[in-house]
Amino acid sequence: MIRNPHLSETTAAGTASDVAVEWDRGNDQWWDWYMSLADGPVPDGPFVDPPPHDPGPLPSDDEILAELAEPYPVTAAQFRQFQTDAFIKLPGVLTPGTVERLRIRLREMLDESVDPAVGFQSREMMWLEDDLVRAAVLSPRIGGIGAALLGTGQVRLYHDNALSKEPGAGRTPWHYDAHHFPLDSPDVLTAWIPLQPTPREMGPLAFARGADVADLVEDLEFDKHGTSYDRGVSEVLRAQAVQVEDGPFEAGEVSFHAASCFHTAGANLTTAARVVLATTYFADGTKVVPSPTMVSGDWRKFIPGAEPGHVVASDRNPLLERPGA
Ligand SMILES: O=C(O)CCC(=O)C(=O)O
C-alpha cells in the first residue's frame, strides 16, 4: 500500500478505510488530500477556450441586494423531484450580471489567499469578510430555496466555499457529503453556484440520480490512500445503470444536492478557471455527530464551540428564514 502524501502520521495510521481520527491539518490540505482520491489520468490537454459569454452591464450592489432578497418560487413538483432524485438543477436563480460580480469578487479573494500553483483552489467563511458574498450566502433567495427543498421554515448556514478548479485540474472523486459533514441529520443540502456558464469540458458538478443510490454503494470500503473507492463507486453506478446527470450549467443556473447525493465533477479541460460558490445549509435543531472523522476536515472552524452530540447554533451558523413560511 502506498501512503497518501497528504496525510499526517496520525491520519495515515491504521487500515486504508480507517478514518476514525480527526483531521489534523487545514482545509486547503484537506482538499489536496481529497482530490488525490480521484481516479483517472492527470489531464494534459489540449485545453479548449470556453464559448464566449457576455453577462451584459454589471448590476450595482443595490441591484444585487434587491435580486437576492426576491424569493425564488419552488414548486411542489420541484420539491418532489428533489426528494426523489436527491438533487435538482434550477434555472435562472441569479442573473448573469450578478453571477459575474460574484465571480470577480471570489477571484480577488482567492488570488489574495491561495498559492496560484494549486489546481483546486478553495477558501471558506468568506461571508464573514465580504458584504457581497454575505448577501449571497445569507440571501432569502438561495437560503429560501434550501429551506423549501428541505421542507422546513428555516435553515442554518454550515459554511460557504469558493471552489476554483483551474485549467488542467483533474476530477473530483465520487462522494456524498454526509460522509464529510459532522451533522447528524439527513436535512442538509448544498447550493452549488457556478460563477460562469459551465460546459461539460469545464467539469460541472454531476449527480447520480436517486435518493437510494447510497444504499447501492454502502458495502464499498473507503480508501484514504488511493483511488479505489472512487473507481468502485463508478463501477457500481455503471453496473446498476444509475443515471448520471452531468450536463452543463447556464449562467445563473444553480444546483442543490442533499447530503446523501453521490456526486463527482469532471476535469477542467478549458483554458478558464471553473469558479464556484458553494453554500451548505442544515435544518435548525441539528446536532453534531457523536464522533466526527478525518473526512470532516477542519469542521470546528465552521461550528465553533459545538461539541459532538450538541445542537449546532453558534453565531457562525445564522438562521435563515424561508420567505413567506
Ligand atoms: O466543485 C467540485 O468539484 C466539488 C464540490 C462538491 O463536492 C460539493 O460542493 O459538494
Side-chain angles (χ1 to χ4, degrees):
M1 180 177 72
I2 298 176
R3 171 175 158 177
N4 189 298
H6 302 287
L7 298 179
S8 68
E9 284 277 317
T10 311
T11 51
T15 63
S17 61
D18 183 356
V19 292
V21 295
E22 288 196 19
W23 185 248
D24 54 5
R25 294 181 166 169
N27 267 305
D28 289 352
Q29 287 149 317
W30 185 90
W31 273 111
D32 288 344
W33 165 59
Y34 208 70
M35 295 298 285
S36 77
L37 306 183
D39 194 32
V42 176
D44 63 355
F47 301 116
V48 296
D49 289 333
H53 166 65
D54 177 7
L58 297 188
S60 66
D61 287 358
D62 285 347
E63 286 167 332
I64 293 177
L65 289 182
E67 176 178 328
L68 291 168
E70 188 68 32
Y72 183 99
V74 175
T75 65
Q78 287 167 331
F79 171 74
R80 282 195 302 274
Q81 189 182 332
F82 178 78
Q83 299 294 322
T84 307
D85 291 348
F87 75 94
I88 192 165
K89 290 171 76 168
L90 297 175
V93 174
L94 298 174
T95 59
T98 292
V99 167
E100 181 65 15
R101 288 278 322 270
L102 283 167
R103 181 182 164 95
I104 293 167
R105 186 58 57 85
L106 259 61
R107 192 68 264 166
E108 287 166 355
M109 294 185 83
L110 285 165
D111 288 347
E112 71 194 22
S113 59
V114 180
D115 175 355
V118 172
F120 191 85
Q121 303 184 355
S122 71
R123 180 166 171 166
E124 299 87 16
M125 312 287 281
M126 295 167 296
W127 69 278
L128 291 169
E129 296 172 52
D130 185 83
D131 291 344
L132 186 67
V133 178
R134 179 163 49 252
V137 172
L138 303 187
S139 69
R141 194 156 179 90
I142 311 277
I145 296 173
L149 293 173
L150 292 180
T152 59
Q154 48 194 13
V155 286
R156 285 189 185 272
L157 177 70
Y158 178 56
H159 65 20
D160 64 18
N161 266 313
L163 302 173
S164 181
K165 196 175 268 196
E166 299 297 304
R171 291 183 51 247
T172 304
W174 279 107
H175 66 281
Y176 67 112
D177 296 337
H179 199 205
H180 301 292
F181 301 145
L183 300 172
D184 208 358
S185 168
D187 292 329
V188 182
L189 56 61
T190 296
W192 196 80
I193 310 167
L195 299 182
Q196 64 286 305
T198 306
R200 274 210 172 83
E201 310 78 59
M202 203 182 249
L205 207 61
F207 311 89
R209 194 181 296 281
D212 56 352
V213 169
D215 298 342
L216 302 175
V217 295
E218 72 180 349
D219 291 339
L220 283 178
E221 286 220 326
F222 187 65
D223 175 4
K224 67 183 177 185
H225 292 294
T227 58
S228 69
Y229 181 74
D230 178 40
R231 198 162 48 249
V233 174
S234 297
E235 284 164 9
V236 170
L237 297 180
R238 213 172 306 121
Q240 302 281 341
V242 173
Q243 199 204 336
V244 175
E245 161 54 51
D246 63 355
F249 284 65
E250 293 186 354
E253 187 172 6
V254 174
S255 63
F256 291 78
H257 61 270
S260 60
C261 174
F262 266 80
H263 54 285
T264 179
N268 183 357
L269 304 176
T270 75
T271 53
R274 188 218 66 180
V275 184
V276 170
L277 172 62
T279 60
T280 296
Y281 307 99
F282 58 92
D284 191 26
T286 294
K287 293 181 177 165
V288 185
V289 295
S291 306
T293 70
M294 59 188 266
V295 191
S296 299
D298 199 5
W299 61 275
R300 288 179 193 276
K301 189 172 152 192
F302 309 132
I303 49 175
E307 291 303 318
H310 291 191
V311 170
V312 184
S314 85
D315 60 3
R316 299 286 160 94
N317 312 110
L319 261 185
L320 304 174
E321 300 290 337
R322 174 173 154 203

